[in-house]
Amino acid sequence: MAVLAYSLGKREINQHFTIKNAKLISLVVVILLLVLHTASRYYGGGDSCEWLLSRGRFLGENVWQPYGCMMHKYKSTEAKSCLAEKRVAFIGDSRIRQLFYSFIRIIDPERGDDGIKHEDIFFKDERSSVNVDFLWYPEANNSMKDRLMSWTLMSETSAKPDVVILGAATWSIKLHSGSSETLQQYKVNLTAIAVHLKKLADHGEVYWVLQDPVNEEVLSENRKMITNQQLELYNEAAADVLNSSKRNSRSRIKLLAASRQAALETITQSVDGLHLPASTKNVGSMILMNSLCNKLLRPIDGSCCQTVPPPNFLQKLSACFFLGSALVFLVLHVLGNNRHRRPVPPDVESLEERKPATAAVPFGPKVPVHALCRMGIIMAYFYLCDRADVFMKEQKFYTHSTFFIPLVYIFILGLFYSENSKETKLLNREQTDEWKGWMQLVILIYHISGASAFIPVYMHVRVLVAAYLFQTGYGHFSFFWLKGDFGLYRVCQVLFRLNFLVLVLCVVMDRPYQFYYFVPLVTFWFVIIYTTLAMWPQILQKKANSNGIWHFGVFAKLTGLLLFICFFAFSQGLFENIFSMWPISQLFELNGSIHEWWFRWKLDRFAVIHGMVFAFVYLVLQKRQVLSEGKGEALFSGKISHVLLFLSVVSFITYSIWAGSCKTKTECNEMHPYISVVQILSFILIRNIPGYARSIYSSFFAWFGKISLELFICQYHIWLAADTKGILVLIPGNPSLNIMVSTFIFVCVAHEISLITNDLAQVVIPKDSVALLKRLGAVGLFSLVVLLLSRGNHHTPGP
């Protein structure tokens, strides 16, 4: 009964929740979210600058997350670059002095709290000419007003501070025992001060720091009158006066309230009840640095208070192209042209390509145009998510629970959707799809949880990336060995399906090709595999079966490839010289350097050849009928199977223990290319030696495996954000619901892109050799023109 209920449950789910229905739901959700976020920005009046200064929460103990945007952690060199030749003035009491020290330690981490209390303190960085002063004015009174007025009367702009950060209240409460008359006088004084602050805001930035709470139980007797109730009254008075002063003015006196919100959670750590821990003041100083510098330095992981750059020429051109496709589609639709839909293709990055079931049905002109229209809508969503200031972004924060709990969830789902395999051969199609699927889901969880900070997880995910490349070597070697199809049509099909989405994103999202590092990696290795096996003599299984000596020819080719890899791995200078040559450099440079390409290539340099060797050995053993691949049968004889299974389990566990003992990523990465194959082969044998394990697979994981490439690429911009540095926030204030909604849309988009890629591949890559060569010539000429134009723009001197 339980089995029947289990089967009926899956059937019920699959019947009512189809991918087509899911995509319609996701489209409606995107439209609603777009309307809601746009309306919230327009009518709510809030922007990321106000969010940064006013609201946020702690992730863990010390990581501050502003509401709806990402806060960059500034380093000394960045701070000096932003504040070069500027004057910053902190004005206030001892708590403002704490903020001053925290601020200058961003500029100079070695600086200590070496100033004299209740006196002015001055700091200057000679190299960058940054001046940061602390001026002791513990009360908002005439003395503070006179100092501000003296700056406003200066004729020389250079003598005025570019940034003023001030705040005061505790001394007024302390000296006058929290009397109501003192509060009224505070309002009067602040109203007079606000006039001069507004004039200073015409010249630079002005911040009024709201009062942090106190821990009343720890306060000394002479501070007992400084209560949180009193501080709240003074904050309300400051907010009322300063907000009214800017209602009819472009000059804005900004209220720093977020540091107060952070202090509410950490005030219990205060030693004297008044002064906060340094870590809390660091939050305030980093908020100030982001408010001042994000719009100037534009860090990719600092979306708070940062303006959106206008689209460049290529982005505008792509928008016109997609709009033109929509118009053509409307015309064709009116004319009544029919279209035919192709099924989703297998993932050609690893295993053999299967012909579509409807290959005999010819395409009409409406099919590619319709595909381009869908792609245009999807690219608009990409742009809105990660280039326009419509949706919110938040930073990652790793905890063990954010990584391991989702892993348990997907493992349970994978078991729920277990099915019997149609074939029981080692690494059959369903099994490899399953393998790619669960690996991709693990990698997605790894990225969104920020688990790269935890070295054991980092090393295991490095093995998963190596396993993808292992499958690339295994799959393409198997195809060429068995099919012998080295034709240009198949090569172009593979290259198109691997690169179509990335090339479109390079234009729409204004990112270099190497930014999406995995696609250049698998493309490069496909070309290497093809070159190795296609060059004379071409050795196929049929030829080797007729004469066993040809097996040594394959061995010689694989040995040559291994020597080629080793030569470049130990010749970094030669490697960099080759890949820095124009126009090759356009494909492999990132931020003007090929260091990232060198790192990625070297890290998994042996994974592909490991896959090729494994495929060769397996296919030879299979042909000689050494293996037992029947349903329920162990892969080898009893004793051999038990021994290999035992060794595989031991090797698998040993690698995990080693990965857990790694001290640094650099140390582990040095060993990774040589030992990652141990984990991969152990998994393959554990998964395939027992006949019952080889006879089942998870259709849940296999479904994701068929779109693994699209999932890997799409995550950059519509699941993660800020080019993977942060997390896209569609549902603010509810992280769990946000992940569910954004994941649902993200998966639907990835699946749709796989269909679009299939539709266009059948049209763009014709089977006729002459037509294909003409198109390749046209593409080559167009690419050369684009490269020449980009090179000319790159060398054009700036203003």
Side-chain angles (χ1 to χ4, degrees):
M1 289 296 293
V3 174
L4 179 61
Y6 168 77
S7 178
L8 290 174
K10 287 194 295 184
R11 190 180 306 166
E12 190 76 12
I13 293 172
N14 293 334
Q15 182 178 355
H16 291 93
F17 192 71
T18 64
I19 186 63
K20 183 177 180 181
N21 293 338
K23 288 176 183 176
L24 290 174
I25 294 170
S26 68
L27 180 61
V28 171
V29 170
V30 168
I31 293 172
L32 288 175
L33 288 172
L34 184 60
V35 171
L36 289 173
H37 277 266
T38 304
S40 175
R41 294 290 182 95
Y42 184 77
Y43 294 105
D47 59 23
S48 60
C49 285
E50 291 188 11
W51 298 338
L52 170 68
L53 296 171
S54 61
R55 295 189 271 175
R57 68 184 190 277
F58 272 110
L59 302 176
E61 295 183 358
N62 297 320
V63 178
W64 182 253
Q65 170 60 63
Y67 174 80
C69 63
M70 297 168 61
M71 191 168 75
H72 178 65
K73 187 175 181 179
Y74 276 88
K75 298 178 182 178
S76 174
T77 53
E78 296 171 313
K80 291 176 182 178
S81 174
C82 169
L83 301 173
E85 299 183 4
K86 289 186 178 180
R87 303 185 67 88
V88 181
F90 285 80
I91 304 174
D93 54 17
S94 58
R95 298 212 278 187
I96 295 296
R97 184 176 64 228
Q98 271 191 297
L99 188 60
F100 159 78
Y101 279 126
S102 180
F103 188 86
I104 63 175
R105 270 194 289 270
I106 299 176
I107 303 169
D108 181 6
E110 303 300 322
R111 178 65 185 249
D113 299 0
D114 51 5
I116 301 174
K117 292 182 179 181
H118 301 178
E119 290 189 14
D120 298 345
I121 306 169
F122 304 98
F123 168 83
K124 182 176 182 179
D125 182 78
E126 297 292 342
R127 181 168 296 181
S128 60
S129 298
V130 178
N131 290 274
V132 187
D133 303 331
F134 169 73
L135 306 178
W136 174 256
Y137 288 94
E139 290 190 85
N141 55 19
N142 288 331
S143 297
M144 181 183 286
K145 184 191 72 173
D146 292 342
R147 167 58 70 129
L148 296 172
M149 185 170 61
S150 68
W151 285 333
T152 60
L153 296 176
M154 286 182 179
S155 57
E156 294 185 13
T157 305
S158 60
K160 298 179 182 179
D162 300 282
V163 182
V164 177
I165 300 146
L166 71 169
T170 56
W171 276 70
S172 297
I173 299 171
K174 176 183 174 181
L175 294 176
H176 304 282
S177 301
S179 66
S180 57
E181 293 81 4
T182 304
L183 177 61
Q184 293 302 317
Q185 186 60 46
Y186 179 83
K187 291 181 181 179
V188 172
N189 293 343
L190 202 55
T191 302
I193 287 171
V195 175
H196 304 290
L197 290 178
K198 188 176 71 169
K199 293 179 180 178
L200 290 172
D202 289 333
H203 167 70
E205 304 275 352
V206 176
Y207 298 86
W208 181 271
V209 183
L210 294 183
Q211 293 299 302
D212 295 332
V214 294
N215 187 353
E216 297 177 16
E217 297 177 0
V218 186
L219 289 173
S220 60
E221 286 300 323
N222 63 338
R223 291 174 175 168
K224 286 292 185 182
M225 68 290 298
I226 307 175
T227 64
N228 287 316
Q229 183 180 6
Q230 282 285 325
L231 292 173
E232 191 61 33
L233 292 173
Y234 275 75
N235 282 336
E236 289 175 1
D240 183 60
V241 171
L242 298 177
N243 281 330
S244 64
S245 70
K246 67 182 182 183
R247 282 169 189 159
N248 299 317
S249 174
R250 291 184 180 181
S251 302
R252 300 191 61 188
I253 304 167
K254 300 173 183 178
L255 296 178
L256 178 55
S259 59
R260 173 181 174 275
Q261 190 174 353
L264 287 170
E265 300 186 37
T266 60
I267 187 59
T268 54
Q269 301 172 22
S270 172
V271 176
D272 60 5
L274 181 69
H275 299 99
L276 288 157
S279 59
T280 308
K281 284 301 178 184
N282 291 342
V283 170
S285 60
M286 200 59 73
I287 288 172
L288 287 171
M289 195 66 74
N290 275 257
S291 179
L292 292 168
C293 299
N294 280 6
K295 52 183 170 290
L296 299 175
L297 300 186
R298 309 187 63 81
I300 191 63
D301 61 341
S303 64
C304 297
C305 208
Q306 187 177 145
T307 55
V308 178
N312 61 27
F313 173 74
L314 285 178
Q315 289 173 314
K316 293 177 181 177
L317 193 63
S318 64
C320 293
F321 175 78
F322 286 123
L323 287 173
S325 300
L327 293 175
V328 173
F329 174 75
L330 288 175
V331 173
L332 292 174
H333 184 73
V334 171
L335 295 176
N337 283 306
N338 295 320
R339 69 182 180 90
H340 301 281
R341 186 63 170 275
R342 303 276 178 145
V344 186
D347 186 4
V348 296
E349 81 194 59
S350 57
L351 292 184
E352 72 273 5
E353 183 180 11
R354 293 181 180 177
K355 294 181 180 179
T358 58
V361 181
F363 271 127
K366 192 175 178 182
V367 174
V369 178
H370 184 242
L372 289 174
C373 290
R374 285 145 48 209
M375 194 68 181
I377 294 172
I378 291 172
M379 287 301 104
Y381 179 63
F382 271 77
Y383 189 88
L384 291 173
C385 286
D386 209 19
R387 289 296 177 269
D389 190 21
V390 176
F391 299 119
M392 301 176 181
K393 304 173 179 67
E394 290 189 353
Q395 55 219 40
K396 303 175 186 177
F397 179 73
Y398 175 74
T399 61
H400 292 322
S401 61
T402 58
F403 178 75
F404 289 104
I405 290 176
L407 282 187
V408 175
Y409 289 158
I410 66 166
F411 177 74
I412 293 172
L413 282 171
L415 290 179
F416 180 74
Y417 281 93
S418 60
E419 308 280 353
N420 291 323
S421 299
K422 293 178 183 178
E423 55 180 337
T424 56
K425 292 182 179 181
L426 182 143
L427 290 181
N428 58 69
R429 181 70 199 187
E430 292 161 331
Q431 188 184 130
T432 52
D433 281 341
E434 173 201 83
W435 190 8
K436 286 185 293 179
W438 70 255
M439 286 197 303
Q440 185 57 60
L441 292 176
V442 171
I443 290 172
L444 291 175
I445 295 170
Y446 165 83
H447 282 155
I448 202 165
S449 64
S452 62
F454 186 45
I455 292 180
V457 172
Y458 168 82
M459 290 311 303
H460 281 86
V461 170
R462 290 261 52 86
V463 172
L464 299 188
V465 175
Y468 268 105
L469 295 172
F470 180 94
Q471 284 198 47
T472 297
Y474 173 84
H476 289 308
F477 181 93
S478 300
F479 178 86
F480 290 126
W481 176 256
L482 297 172
K483 305 289 186 180
D485 181 4
F486 294 98
L488 187 60
Y489 170 75
R490 201 254 173 186
V491 172
C492 291
Q493 283 273 318
V494 172
L495 293 178
F496 180 85
R497 287 174 176 166
L498 286 176
N499 290 276
F500 168 69
L501 173 58
V502 163
L503 292 177
V504 174
L505 287 176
C506 287
V507 175
V508 174
M509 306 304 289
D510 188 26
R511 282 294 171 265
Y513 180 63
Q514 185 58 219
F515 176 74
Y516 308 92
Y517 74 91
F518 186 72
V519 170
L521 204 57
V522 292
T523 301
F524 171 83
W525 283 115
F526 169 73
V527 173
I528 294 296
I529 295 167
Y530 175 82
T531 304
T532 302
L533 299 179
M535 68 181 183
W536 185 89
Q538 291 183 3
I539 306 172
L540 310 179
Q541 187 185 57
K542 291 180 180 179
K543 182 183 288 189
N545 289 339
S546 61
N547 189 345
I549 197 69
W550 286 113
H551 288 101
F552 292 99
V554 177
F555 178 77
K557 285 192 173 187
L558 293 175
T559 303
L561 177 57
L562 178 61
L563 293 174
F564 166 82
I565 294 170
C566 292
F567 175 75
F568 275 99
F570 294 103
S571 306
Q572 183 176 354
L574 179 62
F575 184 95
E576 292 180 349
N577 288 335
I578 290 175
F579 288 100
S580 296
M581 294 171 58
W582 189 88
I584 300 175
S585 60
Q586 300 298 307
L587 298 177
F588 298 104
E589 283 186 353
L590 184 64
N591 300 324
S593 170
I594 66 161
H595 175 75
E596 181 72 11
W597 167 240
W598 163 253
F599 171 75
R600 297 290 182 183
W601 179 88
K602 188 179 180 183
L603 196 59
D604 294 306
R605 59 188 181 273
F606 297 125
V608 169
I609 196 169
H610 286 152
M612 296 173 71
V613 171
F614 180 83
F616 176 61
V617 173
Y618 163 66
L619 292 172
V620 170
L621 292 177
Q622 184 189 57
K623 191 64 180 178
R624 294 178 181 274
Q625 298 182 345
V626 174
L627 308 175
S628 301
E629 295 183 301
K631 190 170 185 179
E633 295 180 351
L635 196 62
F636 301 96
S637 61
K639 289 184 179 180
I640 296 176
S641 292
H642 289 127
V643 171
L644 287 176
L645 196 57
F646 174 76
L647 291 175
S648 298
V649 172
V650 171
S651 299
F652 195 91
I653 295 173
T654 302
Y655 178 90
S656 295
I657 294 172
W658 172 81
S661 65
C662 274
K663 296 180 180 179
T664 65
K665 290 182 180 180
T666 303
E667 172 189 317
C668 295
N669 286 339
E670 286 297 320
M671 292 294 296
H672 170 77
Y674 304 100
I675 62 175
S676 60
V677 68
V678 174
Q679 190 86 330
I680 296 169
L681 292 178
S682 297
F683 169 77
I684 292 173
L685 293 177
I686 293 170
R687 180 71 178 83
N688 285 275
I689 286 177
Y692 60 85
R694 209 171 56 250
S695 301
I696 61 172
Y697 79 105
S698 170
S699 58
F700 174 79
F701 291 141
W703 188 89
F704 285 98
K706 291 174 182 177
I707 58 170
S708 60
L709 186 65
E710 287 79 10
L711 288 170
F712 189 89
I713 300 167
C714 289
Q715 68 168 321
Y716 278 68
H717 302 296
I718 62 170
W719 198 52
L720 304 174
D723 293 344
T724 74
K725 302 297 183 182
I727 299 171
L728 179 67
V729 179
L730 301 177
I731 311 292
N734 193 327
S736 298
L737 180 61
N738 176 67
I739 289 294
M740 288 189 287
V741 172
S742 64
T743 302
F744 176 70
I745 298 170
F746 158 58
V747 172
C748 290
V749 168
H751 188 274
E752 184 63 20
I753 289 176
S754 71
L755 294 178
I756 292 170
T757 305
N758 181 50
D759 286 348
L760 293 176
Q762 305 304 317
V763 176
V764 174
I765 313 296
K767 288 189 175 181
D768 180 69
S769 299
V770 176
L772 179 56
L773 287 172
K774 288 180 179 178
R775 291 192 184 183
L776 289 176
V779 169
L781 182 62
F782 176 77
S783 301
L784 182 61
V785 171
V786 171
L787 288 173
L788 288 171
L789 289 174
S790 63
R791 190 183 189 189
N793 292 334
H794 178 73
H795 290 291
T796 302

